[in-house]
Amino acid sequence: MNYKIAVIPGDGIGPEIMNEALKVLDKVGEKYGHSFECTKVLAGGAAIDATGKSLPQETLDVCKASDAVMLGAVGGPKWDNLPGGERPERALLGLRKELGLYANLRPAIVFDELADASPLKPSIIDGGLDILIVRELTGGIYFGERKTEPGTEEEGMVAWDVEKYSEMEVKRIAKIAFDMAAKRGGKVCSVDKANVLDSSRLWRKTVAEMHAADYPEIELANMYVDNAAMQLVRGPKQFDVIVTSNIFGDILSDEASQITGSIGMLPSASLGEGNFGMYEPIHGSAPDIAGQNIANPIATILSVGMMLRYTLGLGEEADAIEKAVNDFLKAGHRTADLVAPGEEFKSTSETGDLIAALI
Ligand code: NAD
């Protein structure tokens, strides 16, 4: 098969890690007989420098004409003094909105070989950890009405932001969570604050109705967000798929990523209607280590795996990438972020070469 992929290397370590991900994608194509037609386009700081805009129309056009988008990372100190609306990171919001990507999937995986990197006690994560957080990405308080205005004399200024969800928004994200759970451990935990918020009560009711009607075979639990934050460090193995709103998902997915101990290892997917998706590592452009060939490309390589699995329906090929990463670690190889100072490590390009060779 021939697949069209839009590739946005971005800024900082983005181009370095993307090179390695493309090496692995090429190897998958060669081994399994697929052709991946990759078109590199600009977004973020690189696009601001070249065109004056963080998300040029041409980039959007190429993305929309592709089967999937791969993104490295955007941003850096060079553009930090631009006003909010003109910053490189603005491109991310634009891409999500324009491409209708309302579901963010973030796996938090502790690889057996890297159990030491987790800040949690071995007894808590014994036997590995594999949680999938499904975060609603285009609704809720981050996109709700907001205002800063004068209050009473006593109050001074007043600012407010509205958390608003429709049944339609909850249904479409819940469906993704239930479908994912069906392919994994068969459990969904829906996280809300239904003891306080109306929007959470509608969320909980809508998820429960969908569960009863369409997914009775999936085990559904509900949890308040404060308890979920606690349970993630107390007993993370109780979770399979967590589904939650934009703001709660933002916070919980960062917490979950830290349990795994290594930001350079975690991929993510943003999905919308149909199979289209955007795939990227969860970390940023790491300007502090850019250009030194020491960044860990594994999160980006695993993002390629997610793209093969979720957008292109190539499960066997995705398994092969995950196995190659595991084999790389089992062979004792480590990237710079995974070793103590002074210990030997593989460079960005060596890591890509070794993982590609293991496919
Ligand atoms: P960051 O994730 O870029 O870096 C945090 C720390 O983790 C740094 O010490 C960095 O060296 C390290 N790190 C990150 N990825 C690594 C990797 N693959 N291998 C080894 N070490 C890695 O976060 P930050 O420093 O807060 O942000 C830097 C820039 O990235 C900012 O401009 C920020 O806005 C942007 N950013 C972009 C995205 C994105 O493109 N999706 C996400 C987050 C931050």
Side-chain angles (χ1 to χ4, degrees):
M1 275 284 284
N2 182 39
Y3 301 101
K4 281 198 179 126
I5 315 290
V7 175
I8 304 175
D11 310 313
I13 61 169
E16 297 169 58
I17 53 180
M18 187 57 77
N19 265 345
E20 305 315 310
L22 292 176
K23 261 183 208 168
V24 173
L25 184 65
D26 273 353
K27 183 65 190 291
V28 168
E30 201 180 292
K31 175 141 186 216
Y32 291 87
H34 305 300
S35 118
F36 298 104
E37 194 184 319
C38 294
T39 308
K40 283 196 184 166
V41 280
L42 296 174
I48 293 175
D49 288 352
T51 71
K53 285 187 185 154
S54 67
L55 183 57
Q57 187 59 41
E58 190 207 334
T59 298
L60 269 177
D61 292 344
V62 171
C63 290
K64 285 181 180 170
S66 301
D67 295 306
V69 181
M70 281 169 56
L71 174 84
V74 297
K78 182 174 175 192
W79 306 280
D80 272 354
N81 294 327
L82 292 173
E86 292 171 30
R87 286 171 59 109
E89 295 82 353
R90 195 70 184 189
L92 299 173
L93 292 182
L95 282 163
R96 288 171 190 161
K97 187 163 167 276
E98 291 291 328
L99 301 174
L101 305 171
Y102 58 79
N104 186 222
L105 272 55
R106 274 200 190 190
I109 305 161
V110 176
F111 291 87
D112 287 353
E113 306 295 323
L114 299 181
D116 282 356
S118 171
L120 296 186
K121 283 186 199 149
S123 59
I124 296 179
I125 50 156
D126 200 20
L129 183 72
D130 184 357
I131 301 173
L132 180 66
I133 298 195
V134 178
R135 165 189 169 195
E136 201 290 324
L137 202 57
T138 54
I141 197 161
Y142 292 175
F143 288 85
E145 247 186 276
R146 70 195 54 196
K147 201 162 189 183
T148 304
E149 59 190 352
T152 62
E153 202 174 320
E154 194 186 344
E155 286 171 331
M157 292 300 286
V158 173
W160 46 267
D161 305 81
V162 174
E163 169 85 343
K164 180 175 170 186
Y165 271 109
S166 68
E167 284 180 295
M168 178 275 288
E169 287 172 310
V170 180
K171 276 185 195 158
R172 64 185 189 182
I173 192 81
K175 181 175 187 316
I176 288 191
F178 284 126
D179 286 343
M180 291 291 155
K183 293 182 205 153
R184 296 170 39 102
K187 291 195 327 189
V188 169
C189 179
S190 172
V191 171
D192 60 38
K193 189 69 185 165
N195 48 345
V196 180
L197 303 176
D198 263 21
S199 52
S200 279
R201 282 190 276 274
L202 181 70
W203 179 286
R204 191 177 280 219
K205 179 168 168 281
T206 309
V207 173
E209 283 169 2
M210 174 175 270
H211 175 244
D214 302 329
Y215 297 94
E217 71 288 359
I218 303 287
E219 193 182 315
L220 172 67
N222 294 289
M223 200 177 274
Y224 297 137
V225 63
D226 38 352
N227 187 23
M230 233 163 41
Q231 295 300 330
L232 267 174
V233 287
R234 204 167 158 258
K237 289 173 76 100
Q238 69 188 281
F239 297 110
D240 175 25
V241 175
I242 292 176
V243 62
T244 192
S245 63
N246 203 342
I247 186 167
F248 295 158
D250 189 6
I251 298 164
L252 292 181
S253 61
D254 265 24
E255 185 190 358
S257 75
Q258 284 312 296
I259 295 173
T260 73
S262 51
I263 196 171
M265 299 289 296
L266 296 177
S268 80
S270 299
L271 306 177
E273 292 307 331
N275 292 328
F276 186 82
M278 182 163 86
Y279 297 85
E280 58 184 310
I282 70 159
H283 58 73
S285 58
D288 52 335
I289 57 166
Q292 299 173 44
N293 198 21
I294 57 170
N296 183 350
I298 295 181
T300 318
I301 291 171
L302 290 171
S303 301
V304 172
M306 289 187 88
M307 174 179 81
L308 297 177
R309 190 181 303 286
Y310 296 126
T311 288
L312 308 181
L314 303 174
E316 192 187 331
E317 289 82 340
D319 287 346
I321 291 186
E322 282 160 22
K323 182 170 181 306
V325 168
N326 256 312
D327 289 347
F328 169 87
L329 296 170
K330 273 196 194 131
H333 302 310
R334 296 289 182 269
T335 47
D337 53 319
L338 300 175
V339 297
E343 278 178 17
E344 205 182 298
F345 62 85
K346 295 294 173 202
S347 69
T348 309
S349 50
E350 284 168 335
T351 302
D353 288 342
L354 284 162
I355 294 175
L358 286 162
I359 300 276

